[in-house]
Amino acid sequence: MTAVCELCPRRCGLPRGEGVCGAPWEPQVASVCVHRGEEPPLNPIVNIFFVGCNLHCIYCQNYQISGKMVAVNGELSGVDEIVNRVSRLLTSDSSLQTPLVGFVTAAQYVHCVRPIVEGLRAHGLEPVVVYNSSGYESADALRSLEGFVDVYLPDLKYMDSTLSAAYSHAPDYPEVAAAAIREMRRQVGGALKVGDDGLAYRGLMVRHLVLPGAVDNTRLCLEWLADELPPTMSLSLMAQYFPPRPGLPAPLDRMLSPDEYDAALDIAHSLGFLNVYTQQLDSQTNYRPDFSRTVHPFEQ
């Protein structure tokens, strides 16, 4: 255990529990569930939803579990509990013929990923490990995951530092995420590899959530990806934004408009992306988790 934490790009240098994320050393998890709402190559998947976050987006859809003060209120605590819960799901759900396990927003617990994977392997389980990330990750920390992550699923939220400062308290997000995605690509390649069953087993998929009033930021993000990655890369262009709470500043206080999403799609097509996953605008009402339902936050 380390007395101070410098695991993520914040490099707080403070004892665990006192930094930006508020996370203690032992991993805290809000829910472990079979999730069927990811992109087709990652569906279904056993997702581990960690509590706390180092980014603090003001529009966070998982705000119930991402705030600093919730980091001590996980349903599960510690590597062994997490391994046991994931193992039970992997061995009991017949729909998981190709088992995938997702680590969702785990930057504050990146030191726990390897022990959890090793614990699953000790149970005789070899799932495809998916690291689902905000993109705000330390490239140095990501290097410690080499050989333990099969698929990286980062966001690329911003290439506009003014937006990243205002919306996520991270003016350095563009350069940090760029370095993180380059490291992810180095480890697993730039394209997603999919088996005969249609499920991913290695590679990289980048997500970008189109924000209202921010099509110019979307253009910058997609232009960067087009320059850095092959046209065969898998891009998930998401339309599911909704205002998660009242009082957000305009334009975050409204839904994404059809014209804005169409403009984002036009940009992606003009840049030559060949594998683009899209969403219907009604996804704005479909992807609204409730983490008070710990058994499954995405199902009523």
Side-chain angles (χ1 to χ4, degrees):
M1 183 180 299
T2 180
V4 298
C5 184
E6 295 188 343
L7 283 176
C8 90
R10 301 284 186 189
R11 300 183 68 85
C12 294
L14 295 171
R16 293 290 294 200
E18 297 180 14
V20 171
C21 69
W25 188 253
E26 286 295 310
Q28 307 292 308
V29 168
S31 178
V32 177
C33 62
V34 180
H35 187 40
R36 306 180 193 280
E38 306 287 31
E39 290 83 358
L42 303 172
N43 185 25
I45 185 171
V46 175
N47 269 340
I48 307 168
F49 289 94
F50 291 89
V51 295
C53 184
N54 67 341
L55 202 51
H56 293 183
C57 303
I58 63 174
Y59 55 86
C60 180
Q61 297 172 333
N62 292 350
Y63 67 93
Q64 291 168 303
I65 63 171
S66 64
K68 178 175 179 177
M69 298 309 294
V70 302
V72 295
N73 295 322
E75 184 209 7
L76 301 175
S77 178
V79 169
D80 290 344
E81 285 190 15
I82 296 166
V83 168
N84 290 335
R85 180 70 63 86
V86 173
S87 297
R88 286 198 296 271
L89 284 175
L90 289 177
T91 55
S92 66
D93 193 314
S94 60
S95 69
L96 301 171
Q97 296 182 16
T98 300
L100 285 78
V101 171
F103 290 74
V104 183
T105 316
Q108 67 275 20
Y109 295 119
V110 68
H111 61 289
C112 300
V113 173
R114 288 180 62 161
I116 292 171
V117 175
E118 288 170 340
L120 293 173
R121 291 174 178 174
H123 281 69
L125 300 168
E126 293 281 350
V128 175
V129 174
V130 180
Y131 192 80
N132 181 336
S133 165
S134 71
Y136 196 63
E137 303 267 0
S138 162
D140 288 340
L142 290 172
R143 290 186 191 100
S144 72
L145 301 182
E146 188 165 6
F148 291 85
V149 171
D150 303 296
V151 175
Y152 279 105
L153 182 63
D155 294 338
L156 183 58
K157 295 179 182 293
Y158 316 102
M159 275 291 156
D160 179 333
S161 61
T162 301
L163 278 188
S164 65
Y167 290 172
S168 297
H169 310 290
D172 59 346
Y173 181 96
E175 55 264 36
V176 166
I181 290 173
R182 289 182 180 122
E183 172 59 22
M184 294 173 184
R185 179 190 183 182
R186 185 194 68 79
Q187 291 184 27
V188 299
L192 197 66
K193 296 181 179 179
V194 177
D196 292 339
D197 59 1
L199 296 177
Y201 62 89
R202 189 167 179 82
L204 176 70
M205 177 188 287
V206 180
R207 284 174 166 170
H208 175 73
L209 175 64
V210 185
L211 295 173
V215 172
D216 287 344
N217 175 64
T218 292
R219 179 182 298 277
L220 291 173
C221 290
L222 298 190
E223 287 176 344
W224 185 86
L225 289 170
D227 288 340
E228 289 283 333
L229 296 169
T232 53
M233 70 156 290
S234 293
L235 170 66
S236 179
L237 201 56
M238 303 169 75
Q240 69 188 53
Y241 178 81
F242 67 92
R245 57 182 177 82
L248 288 175
L252 293 180
D253 59 348
R254 64 170 174 83
M255 302 286 203
L256 188 71
S257 74
D259 287 345
E260 288 170 323
Y261 191 56
D262 286 345
L265 293 174
D266 288 345
I267 294 167
H269 293 147
S270 70
L271 290 170
F273 291 103
L274 300 176
N275 296 310
V276 181
Y277 294 90
T278 63
Q279 289 183 319
Q280 300 295 320
L281 277 181
D282 63 8
S283 64
Q284 298 164 337
T285 60
N286 296 337
Y287 293 91
R288 300 195 178 192
D290 180 357
F291 283 93
S292 67
R293 300 191 296 262
T294 55
V295 174
H296 205 308
F298 289 87
E299 294 181 357
Q300 298 292 339

